[in-house]
Amino acid sequence: SKGKVKINNCIITSEKSNGIIFEDSNKESLIDNCIIKNTGSDSIVISGNSNPLISNCRIFNSKAAGVWVEESGKGQIFNSDIFENTNPNIVIETEGNPTIDHCKIYKSESYGIWVKENGKGQILNSDIFENTRANIVIETAGNPTIDYCKIYKSKQGGIWVKEDGKG
């Protein structure tokens, strides 16, 4: 959709599919103070130049990723908790370029944040901890900026740069 969406103070669940998908949305949308949980696939997908503001949310218990940013998707994820997802809490790939600021990203059954396939992103002022695998993985020309974060207590490693990862 090319429209602007505002969702406030909601609980969003979808046991069979995604919670929210932003695809080719050229206007800024707002998701504020929501709980997105118990999804059968990624809780939030941002793609195709979409640029939503996701703030003050709790995103958890997805059977896939908490947030998946791809295909030049942007997005600002601010002051949100993203945790206890089956796959990485956040995936950034294929020119995805979100800003993640003042978030807590923890207790994924996989990576905390996975940046790959030319994914970018700014990861700022966030706590990334206690993920089952590495807290942050950067590979295949992934190139994020990570500033002023606390990265600790991973079961596999803090930051893992491999296979042409940058950053």
Side-chain angles (χ1 to χ4, degrees):
S1 152
K2 300 253 183 220
K4 189 175 202 175
V5 174
K6 289 186 180 181
I7 303 172
N8 296 298
N9 301 306
C10 291
I11 297 173
I12 299 167
T13 64
S14 176
E15 292 181 10
K16 295 184 179 182
S17 189
N18 305 97
I20 303 170
I21 299 172
F22 294 98
E23 184 176 17
D24 295 319
S25 175
N26 60 4
K27 295 187 179 180
E28 290 188 13
S29 296
L30 172 66
I31 308 298
D32 185 52
N33 199 37
C34 290
I35 295 172
I36 301 107
K37 65 177 184 172
N38 300 335
T39 59
S41 190
D42 307 309
S43 291
I44 298 175
V45 176
I46 303 169
S47 69
N49 291 309
S50 297
N51 191 23
L53 170 59
I54 299 163
S55 63
N56 306 305
C57 291
R58 293 173 46 87
I59 302 163
F60 63 98
N61 201 30
S62 164
K63 299 223 180 340
V67 178
W68 194 293
V69 185
E70 63 181 359
E71 298 173 8
S72 301
K74 296 173 183 63
Q76 300 166 62
I77 305 166
F78 180 76
N79 197 38
S80 293
D81 288 1
I82 305 163
F83 62 100
E84 294 179 358
N85 296 290
T86 301
N87 291 339
N89 283 319
I90 300 175
V91 176
I92 305 168
E93 68 171 358
T94 56
E95 303 295 327
N97 194 13
T99 298
I100 301 160
D101 192 1
H102 284 90
C103 291
K104 290 182 181 173
I105 301 157
Y106 59 98
K107 293 188 178 177
S108 166
E109 292 179 30
S110 180
Y111 306 125
I113 301 174
W114 188 13
V115 185
K116 61 180 183 159
E117 298 172 16
N118 296 302
K120 298 174 184 147
Q122 293 75 45
I123 305 163
L124 312 168
N125 307 301
S126 294
D127 288 357
I128 305 148
F129 60 98
E130 292 183 15
N131 294 286
T132 300
R133 299 186 73 192
N135 281 322
I136 300 175
V137 172
I138 305 166
E139 67 177 331
T140 55
N143 193 12
T145 299
I146 303 166
D147 285 324
Y148 304 105
C149 292
K150 293 179 185 172
I151 302 166
Y152 57 96
K153 288 189 180 177
S154 166
K155 294 179 181 170
Q156 190 180 57
I159 299 174
W160 185 12
V161 181
K162 62 180 188 166
E163 298 174 23
D164 298 320
K166 301 174 184 172

